[in-house]
């Protein structure tokens, strides 16, 4: 699957194909609070990516209508980008 946005710098406004703008906006707010800081730590202090940052990634994809149910949450973006190869 090809994403229509950069997961590291997603747009604040939901993209045209977004099926749930509210979920997108909530994910964006959480995204702004959980950025890579120093020494591989999140701005919240946890190792990056923290659980909130992983939730952000799932939120953006769910807002686009992507099924985010997988065995291990950390594999979601990897799995989707590998599918397009």
């Amino acid at each position: 699957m090809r994403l229509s946005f950069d997961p590291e710098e997603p747009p604040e406004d939901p993209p045209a194909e977004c099926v749930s703008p509210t979920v997108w906006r909530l994910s964006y707010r959480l995204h702004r609070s959980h950025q890579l800081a120093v020494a591989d730590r999140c701005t919240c202090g946890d190792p990056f990516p923290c659980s909130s940052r992983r939730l952000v990634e799932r939120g953006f994809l769910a807002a686009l209508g992507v099924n985010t149910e997988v065995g291990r949450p950390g594999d979601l973006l990897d799995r989707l980008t590998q599918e397009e190869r």
Side-chain angles (χ1 to χ4, degrees), residues 6-44:
D6 177 358
E8 297 301 318
E9 290 296 327
E12 182 174 358
D13 293 323
E17 70 274 15
C18 183
V19 297
S20 183
T22 301
V23 172
W24 183 275
R25 288 185 182 97
L26 290 170
S27 296
Y28 184 80
R29 284 180 156 182
L30 194 57
H31 167 78
R32 302 285 296 161
S33 301
H34 294 274
Q35 300 288 318
L36 178 61
V38 294
D40 293 329
R41 304 298 276 190
C42 180
T43 50
C44 71

Side-chain angles (χ1 to χ4, degrees), residues 25 54 57:
R25 288 185 182 97
R54 292 190 186 281
E57 294 169 354

